[in-house]
Amino acid sequence: MPVMIKIALSTMVALAAIGGWIYMGQLGQTGPQWAIVFLGPFSVASLWIFPEVMRSKSDARSKS
């Protein structure tokens, strides 16, 4: 996956996590708020750490 797409996805995930943290705080939900604190950065880190699955044409033919 190109680096620019990873940066864009990381930014969107981080903004969604921040928005979810603020929203859960407004509702008074502290448990889900702490879950977001863990899962947001974990999602961003996993996007960069784990490689994209690449399949060759021979793999697709052998499955059929």
Side-chain angles (χ1 to χ4, degrees):
M1 184 180 316
V3 174
M4 291 304 292
I5 293 176
K6 283 186 178 182
I7 291 171
L9 285 173
S10 297
T11 303
M12 288 188 283
V13 169
L15 289 174
I18 291 168
W21 183 77
I22 292 170
Y23 181 68
M24 287 294 140
Q26 293 291 323
L27 293 177
Q29 302 288 325
T30 57
Q33 192 175 20
W34 286 109
I36 292 171
V37 167
F38 170 73
L39 292 174
F42 180 76
S43 298
V44 172
S46 67
L47 179 70
W48 288 90
I49 292 173
F50 298 115
E52 181 180 6
V53 175
M54 303 295 280
R55 295 184 183 233
S56 64
K57 291 182 180 181
S58 62
D59 289 342
R61 290 182 191 147
S62 65
K63 299 279 183 186
S64 317

